[in-house]
Amino acid sequence: MLVRARWENETRILMLSGRFDKFGRVPVETALAAGEGRSCHHVVMDFSRVSSMDSAGIGRLLLLYHSLRRKGMALTVINPKPSVEALLDLAGLATIIPIMQENPEVRSVA
């Protein structure tokens, strides 16, 4: 998995590419750690280039959600492919994490 990150105000936007599975944890955590010390209230994960996701990826996403929530930050997933969005819905994550089709130029989703 490849993760590119950028800031938009106090929102950390992560653009993910590839398969989101157990190996996706390290690149995501590395991208988030690179922004430590800077004010962040919201993390947006752009899934437009995520080709697939497995149960380990779902678990990682849920752990990330809880970790961010404990720090007072929101998490949103945008632009998942239909197959990935269906898996997120099936796992019940759509009831916990906002999942939407959105332009990556997110201004204020929180």
Side-chain angles (χ1 to χ4, degrees), residues 47 50-54 58 77 79-95 99-101:
F47 270 44
V50 172
S51 57
S52 62
M53 186 174 201
D54 64 9
I58 289 170
V77 172
N79 303 323
K81 294 185 183 316
S83 60
V84 173
E85 187 170 16
L87 183 60
L88 294 170
D89 284 337
L90 183 63
L93 288 184
T95 62
I99 299 169
M100 60 187 70
Q101 295 298 324

Side-chain angles (χ1 to χ4, degrees), residues 1-5 13-21 23-28 31 44-53 77-81 84 104:
M1 164 158 296
L2 176 65
V3 178
R4 290 183 303 135
I13 301 174
L14 304 181
M15 293 153 284
L16 288 68
S17 300
R19 182 172 167 78
F20 195 97
D21 55 18
F23 302 110
R25 184 188 108 239
V26 173
V28 169
V44 174
M45 298 178 78
D46 185 341
F47 270 44
S48 60
R49 294 186 178 175
V50 172
S51 57
S52 62
M53 186 174 201
V77 172
I78 62 170
N79 303 323
K81 294 185 183 316
V84 173

Side-chain angles (χ1 to χ4, degrees), residues 35-70:
E36 284 185 8
R38 185 168 172 177
S39 180
C40 181
H41 298 293
H42 191 192
V43 174
V44 174
M45 298 178 78
D46 185 341
F47 270 44
S48 60
R49 294 186 178 175
V50 172
S51 57
S52 62
M53 186 174 201
D54 64 9
S55 59
I58 289 170
R60 296 291 177 203
L61 188 60
L62 189 57
L63 288 172
L64 177 62
Y65 164 79
H66 286 295
S67 173
L68 292 173
R69 188 171 168 196
R70 281 190 301 275

